[in-house]
Amino acid sequence: MLLSDLEAAAIGDILKHQPCTAHFIRTCFRESPAKHFSDSAGSVYPMMRRLEKNGYLESYEQQDGQRMVRYYRCTSAGKTALQRWLGPPVPESATLTVDPVRTRILYLGRLPKSRRTKWFDEIESALQAKLKLIQQELGDRDLSQSDAPYLNLADENAIMELKTRLRWLSIARRQLEEQGLL
Amino acid sequence: MLLSDLEAAAIGDILKHQPCTAHFIRTCFRESPAKHFSDSAGSVYPMMRRLEKNGYLESYEQQDGQRMVRYYRCTSAGKTALQRWLGPPVPESATLTVDPVRTRILYLGRLPKSRRTKWFDEIESALQAKLKLIQQELGDRDLSQSDAPYLNLADENAIMELKTRLRWLSIARRQLEEQGLL
DNA sequence: TAAGGCATGTAAGACGTTACATGATTAC
DNA sequence: GTAATCATGTAACGTCTTACATGCCTTA
């Protein structure tokens, strides 16, 4: 069975920080703006158990003061599964481009003309805010950690993508104006 | 209740082509490379019933030769719901950038060095193939239909995004080479 | 007459979401 | 002491996927 992106990211993060807790994986998923995974308890805890059941992780409990904490490690089967997920071959779905704004613009004709300008304004400032957030993350990164090159590249990807969207948005605006649709 | 992207796209497509069948919506979802929605019967048919139950669609059956076919129309509540989904305000999730390749590069360090060059090669050609597909779709579009400006913009978005990814990929390659990671 | 498209659905299972629920530990 | 964080889970619900299932219609 091929791993889902969520499962693969969990295994990848465990490999970087093992032994670690399920709770730690939740914070991994929550903290990076370049990661879009859910950090809900209802998805993470069952996923960890599932990965263990499938032989990709192993765990042990350890006393920590008054409480028991479960630590996970990646097995060699887990590492193999991660490499299979990474590819090559990469699945066709890896070329998918998803832009919620693009999805919406397909139906912009159903919005009254009077609201369209505001629509563009709002999205533009939301994208700009997100862009700043990621630029900050990139600037703040500790370059000494071994994975810094990959993390930087991921941020750089998100930054380039957001800039492209902003560029596209202004082109879209101009074109619709020219066609009297704004 | 706010519509999901899938539901909103269905309502949007129905507004363009009503009255139409569930099967027609499936082909809408399947055919455009700029739409990434599932066209599986198991998601579309229950969704149409759900939207009708919620008052966003209405339907009637009609004899077509030997078979009964169900046609859907959008109600005014449906149109209102679509506009609410479109925004403004746009949800914060609309600034999400999802790139499966970016997700993977975060964990590229777990792939043996020997496979990394091939990894880049494969992804590059997959992206290039997808790019051509969408450029073709854009070139083939009938410009007389009233929604052509929006459809063109959506394709243009996908094209710009794919080009950006290719640009990023070559930057990533160069950087990793310079750092002896390739 | 056979293949492919049109048309509609169901069933089982996997997965994610939200909300609920608990309790220990740490920092202010 | 109290709020935030660390830590672990469960339950109900909704949705999507895959696979199964049927039958009509059109075109080669």
Side-chain angles (χ1 to χ4, degrees):
Chain A
M1 266 295 296
L2 200 58
L3 297 174
S4 70
D5 285 9
L6 192 78
E7 292 170 330
I11 291 180
D13 287 336
I14 288 165
L15 271 170
K16 289 181 195 173
H17 304 285
Q18 61 186 349
C20 65
T21 66
H23 183 262
F24 176 82
I25 296 301
R26 286 183 72 188
T27 63
C28 282
F29 286 175
R30 190 186 316 120
E31 269 164 21
S32 168
K35 286 179 195 170
H36 53 277
F37 301 120
S38 154
D39 65 319
S40 75
S43 70
V44 173
Y45 286 95
M47 177 184 62
M48 301 293 277
R49 295 312 188 120
R50 192 166 68 237
L51 290 174
E52 184 174 20
K53 209 187 84 197
N54 293 346
Y56 301 139
L57 300 180
E58 56 191 18
S59 73
Y60 58 92
E61 282 187 309
Q62 195 174 288
Q63 196 78 29
D64 171 31
Q66 295 303 305
R67 64 182 163 188
M68 292 299 274
V69 176
R70 181 171 296 274
Y71 290 92
Y72 287 91
R73 292 188 155 279
C74 182
T75 65
S76 65
K79 198 170 175 184
T80 305
L82 179 68
Q83 290 177 350
R84 205 166 47 231
W85 167 81
L86 269 165
V90 287
E92 206 268 333
S93 63
T95 64
L96 222 82
T97 64
V98 181
D99 180 349
V101 180
R102 175 182 73 206
T103 305
R104 279 170 171 75
I105 213 170
L106 282 166
Y107 307 105
L108 191 63
R110 270 78 227 171
L111 205 62
K113 250 188 180 180
S114 55
R115 281 169 63 189
R116 294 182 197 165
T117 304
K118 187 160 189 172
W119 186 85
F120 274 100
D121 288 343
E122 253 210 34
I123 291 172
E124 200 173 309
S125 66
L127 289 176
Q128 225 116 36
K130 184 72 163 245
L131 179 59
K132 260 180 203 146
L133 205 69
I134 298 181
Q135 283 172 329
Q136 179 141 41
E137 182 184 52
L138 179 59
D140 291 350
R141 171 126 47 237
D142 171 17
L143 294 175
S144 68
Q145 53 179 316
S146 71
D147 269 307
Y150 302 106
L151 297 170
N152 286 351
L153 283 172
D155 281 341
E156 194 54 58
N157 170 301
I159 289 167
M160 288 173 71
E161 189 154 322
L162 285 169
K163 283 183 176 170
T164 300
R165 287 189 188 177
L166 283 163
R167 212 154 35 86
W168 169 78
L169 207 61
S170 75
I171 291 171
R173 199 169 201 157
R174 187 153 18 92
Q175 278 188 19
L176 293 181
E177 261 166 15
E178 277 167 14
Q179 294 172 46
L181 293 167
L182 243 175
Chain B
M1 267 294 295
L2 201 59
L3 297 174
S4 71
D5 285 10
L6 193 78
E7 292 170 331
I11 291 180
D13 286 337
I14 288 165
L15 271 171
K16 290 180 194 172
H17 304 286
Q18 63 186 351
C20 65
T21 66
H23 182 263
F24 176 81
I25 296 302
R26 287 183 71 188
T27 64
C28 282
F29 286 175
R30 191 185 315 118
E31 269 164 20
S32 167
K35 288 178 194 170
H36 52 277
F37 300 120
S38 154
D39 65 318
S40 75
S43 70
V44 172
Y45 286 95
M47 177 185 61
M48 301 293 276
R49 296 310 189 124
R50 190 166 70 235
L51 289 174
E52 185 174 19
K53 208 188 84 196
N54 293 346
Y56 301 138
L57 300 180
E58 54 190 20
S59 73
Y60 57 92
E61 283 187 309
Q62 195 175 289
Q63 196 77 30
D64 171 32
Q66 294 303 305
R67 66 182 162 187
M68 292 299 274
V69 176
R70 180 171 296 275
Y71 289 94
Y72 287 91
R73 291 187 157 282
C74 182
T75 65
S76 64
K79 198 171 175 184
T80 305
L82 179 68
Q83 291 176 350
R84 206 166 45 233
W85 168 81
L86 268 165
V90 287
E92 207 267 333
S93 63
T95 64
L96 221 83
T97 64
V98 180
D99 181 347
V101 180
R102 175 183 73 205
T103 304
R104 279 171 171 75
I105 214 169
L106 281 166
Y107 308 105
L108 190 63
R110 269 78 225 171
L111 205 62
K113 251 187 178 180
S114 56
R115 281 169 64 188
R116 295 182 196 166
T117 304
K118 186 160 191 173
W119 186 86
F120 275 100
D121 289 342
E122 253 210 35
I123 291 172
E124 201 173 309
S125 65
L127 289 176
Q128 225 116 34
K130 184 73 162 245
L131 179 60
K132 262 181 199 143
L133 205 69
I134 297 180
Q135 283 172 327
Q136 180 141 40
E137 181 184 50
L138 178 59
D140 290 351
R141 171 129 43 239
D142 172 17
L143 293 176
S144 67
Q145 53 179 317
S146 69
D147 270 309
Y150 302 106
L151 297 170
N152 286 351
L153 283 172
D155 281 341
E156 194 54 58
N157 170 300
I159 288 168
M160 287 174 70
E161 188 154 324
L162 286 169
K163 283 183 176 170
T164 301
R165 287 189 188 177
L166 283 162
R167 213 156 33 86
W168 170 77
L169 207 62
S170 77
I171 291 172
R173 200 170 201 157
R174 189 155 16 94
Q175 278 188 19
L176 293 181
E177 261 167 14
E178 276 166 14
Q179 294 172 46
L181 293 168
L182 245 174

